[in-house]
Amino acid sequence: MKKIASFCVDHSKLKPGIYVSRVDGDITTYDIRFCTPNQPPFLDSPIMHTIEHLFATFARNSEYADQVIYFGPMGCRTGFYFLVRDISREQALALILTILKEISEYQGEIPGNKPEECGNYREHDLSGAVRIASEFYAHVVNWDVQEMNY
C-alpha cells in the first residue's frame, strides 16, 4: 500500500512550528505543530477540543472565510491541520498568527459548546487552551514563510 505524505515526514527531526504539509492544486494543508513528536507532554484532549472550536470559528469569521476548508486536530495530539484554498503562504501565516493571538487572549464562551452543537460539549478546557495558544504564539510570532518547509 502507498504510504501517505504525512507519514513520509521524518517526525524524529520535526520541531514545533508552522509548516506547509502539502499542496494539492489550489488547496494547501498547513501543519501547525504545537509539540515535538514522540516527546511528551502531548496536548490534552480538552485543550485540543477548545482550540479546535476557537480556531475554526475565528478562521471562518475572518476575511478568508470563503477560502477556509478545514481545521482539525492530529490524532497524535501534537498539533492541527489547517486547509485553505487560494491564499498565499504569507496570508495564511498572518491569519494563523492572528488567530493564535486571539485564542491566547480569549475570555468569552466557547463557541459551539452546547449539547445540540457539539458531540462532546463537556470536554473543554478554555484556560488550558489560552495558556497553550499563548505559549505557542510566543514561539512562532516571528515565524517566516522561509521556515514553513519541513
Side-chain angles (χ1 to χ4, degrees):
M1 198 177 292
K2 184 178 175 184
K3 192 184 282 191
I4 64 171
S6 62
F7 296 159
C8 295
V9 174
D10 187 347
H11 285 67
S12 68
K13 296 179 182 176
L14 192 55
K15 301 292 181 206
I18 302 167
Y19 305 98
V20 174
S21 176
R22 57 184 296 150
V23 178
D24 300 287
D26 63 343
I27 298 172
T28 303
T29 301
Y30 292 93
D31 174 336
I32 305 174
R33 190 70 60 154
F34 279 61
C35 306
T36 301
N38 301 308
Q39 292 184 18
F42 302 110
L43 296 171
D44 290 333
S45 292
I47 289 172
M48 290 190 81
H49 192 191
T50 303
I51 290 172
E52 176 197 10
H53 276 238
L54 292 171
F55 195 108
T57 298
F58 293 147
R60 290 191 171 107
N61 282 280
S62 74
E63 65 182 294
Y64 300 105
D66 292 338
Q67 284 83 24
V68 173
I69 296 170
Y70 174 77
F71 178 80
M74 296 175 181
C76 61
R77 298 185 6 242
T78 62
F80 301 85
Y81 286 117
F82 183 44
L83 283 73
V84 293
R85 167 180 277 132
D86 289 331
I87 67 173
S88 70
R89 289 181 185 189
E90 291 82 5
Q91 291 168 317
L93 179 58
L95 177 60
I96 292 165
L97 292 173
T98 296
I99 292 171
L100 288 169
K101 178 83 168 139
E102 288 179 279
I103 295 170
S104 72
E105 299 171 345
Y106 191 75
Q107 295 181 4
E109 289 186 26
I110 299 166
N113 194 31
K114 294 184 175 105
E116 61 273 13
E117 298 170 329
C118 178
N120 194 5
Y121 77 99
R122 289 185 186 103
E123 188 177 73
H124 281 279
D125 181 352
L126 180 58
S127 63
V130 166
R131 178 181 51 79
I132 292 294
S134 180
E135 291 170 3
F136 184 65
Y137 177 76
H139 176 71
V140 296
V141 66
N142 295 314
W143 209 255
D144 185 86
V145 293
Q146 313 313 349
E147 298 173 281
M148 295 177 81
N149 298 315
Y150 286 127

